[in-house]
Amino acid sequence: GEDVEQSLFLSVREGDSSVINCTYTDSSSTYLYWYKQEPGAGLQLLTYIFSNMDMKQDQRLTVLLNKKDKHLSLRIADTQTGDSAIYFCAESDRGYQKVTFGIGTKLQVIP
Amino acid sequence: DTEVTQTPKHLVMGMTNKKSLKCEQHMGHRAMYWYKQKAKKPPELMFVYSYEKLSINESVPSRFSPECPNSSLLNLHLHALQPEDSALYLCASSQEGLPGVKTGELFFGEGSRLTVL
């Protein structure tokens, strides 16, 4: 079955870069995602990457995918206090309906 | 309108009560989902409806009964729940199923926080 793993906590200073890492087990994953959840809110998609890509950049966000090692990372440049949230890595199967989430990494940004 | 609206935001119920959670979206999405999220845990898929038909049931106990009256609405009927069912219940929708759209992006509501006494 699918399994997605992340570290639980990351603390960075405002203005620094943050790197959140994720590993997954399902080699048939089609899309890999990063979702953000702020306190008391639902999840919001930040970015996604198709499994045949190795990098995607979107403003302050850079996603790197190492398909051989099944490793996904999210880099946030110039991290702001508003970036403090829980970040979930997720992957979907070929049918796109079943999205499996990691446990989430809590990002704390120190002013 | 890019919102998924869930009601109620908070619900407290006893183990003998019957209640329902409701979810609504007007984005024309044809897939709708129920996820359960316990504290400090990831969302776990419960049910998926595609074109108003149940397509995935992740072996959810029968005390949870989903219903999709039309393409914009999704309900979760609750009966004889246990205290361990207390969690945040998240509804989501996606464009999956529409021609040419296949990224699997989920649009989530803010959730209904359920407490079972």
Side-chain angles (χ1 to χ4, degrees):
Chain A
E2 306 87 359
D3 194 18
V4 180
E5 295 188 355
Q6 304 176 236
S7 52
L8 291 177
F9 188 77
L10 176 66
S11 180
V12 299
R13 293 206 173 275
E14 189 174 19
D16 288 350
S17 292
S18 308
V19 179
I20 303 172
N21 294 300
C22 167
T23 57
Y24 61 98
T25 58
D26 188 355
S27 58
S28 67
S29 296
T30 308
Y31 281 97
L32 295 128
Y33 311 88
W34 285 103
Y35 281 84
K36 177 183 180 182
Q37 187 177 32
E38 296 185 19
L43 282 73
Q44 178 187 14
L45 181 69
L46 282 180
T47 186
Y48 66 89
I49 189 166
F50 190 50
S51 57
N52 69 354
M53 298 168 66
D54 52 21
M55 186 181 102
K56 182 178 180 182
Q57 188 150 3
D58 184 1
Q59 299 182 338
R60 292 190 296 124
L61 306 178
T62 303
V63 179
L64 296 177
L65 175 60
N66 181 329
K67 197 170 181 182
K68 174 175 167 290
D69 295 337
K70 299 191 183 66
H71 182 264
L72 183 74
S73 68
L74 173 70
R75 179 177 180 269
I76 305 173
D78 186 25
T79 312
Q80 302 298 306
T81 55
D83 294 324
S84 294
I86 299 175
Y87 291 80
F88 291 93
C89 172
E91 60 89 24
S92 72
D93 65 354
R94 293 183 190 279
Y96 312 105
Q97 286 191 339
K98 188 169 178 180
V99 177
T100 301
F101 290 85
I103 199 166
T105 299
K106 185 172 183 178
L107 175 63
Q108 178 187 53
V109 182
I110 304 166
Chain B
D1 184 357
T2 58
E3 281 191 348
V4 175
T5 305
Q6 291 188 242
T7 55
K9 291 195 185 310
H10 299 276
L11 178 63
V12 179
M13 60 187 291
M15 290 190 283
T16 58
N17 292 157
K18 283 185 182 181
K19 297 285 185 183
S20 297
L21 305 180
K22 297 185 183 300
C23 176
E24 189 169 1
Q25 57 87 15
H26 295 287
M27 294 177 277
H29 292 173
R30 304 312 298 264
M32 295 187 77
Y33 309 74
W34 281 114
Y35 278 84
K36 173 182 177 179
Q37 187 179 24
K38 303 275 278 183
K40 301 189 193 308
K41 297 287 187 185
E44 293 179 354
L45 183 64
M46 299 174 73
F47 302 105
V48 180
Y49 273 83
S50 180
Y51 288 86
E52 300 157 47
K53 293 195 184 320
L54 184 65
S55 60
I56 294 178
N57 177 343
E58 289 287 282
S59 303
V60 179
S62 60
R63 57 185 185 268
F64 295 91
S65 175
E67 179 196 19
C68 189
N70 61 55
S71 59
S72 299
L73 294 174
L74 184 67
N75 299 322
L76 186 63
H77 302 300
L78 314 170
H79 174 54
L81 295 194
Q82 304 296 310
E84 59 264 29
D85 297 321
S86 297
L88 181 68
Y89 288 85
L90 293 164
C91 174
S93 69
S94 75
Q95 295 176 312
E96 187 271 330
L98 293 178
V101 181
K102 283 190 174 180
T103 64
E105 177 182 358
L106 294 171
F107 292 77
F108 281 89
E110 293 191 345
S112 293
R113 188 162 296 281
L114 173 68
T115 303
V116 182
L117 301 177

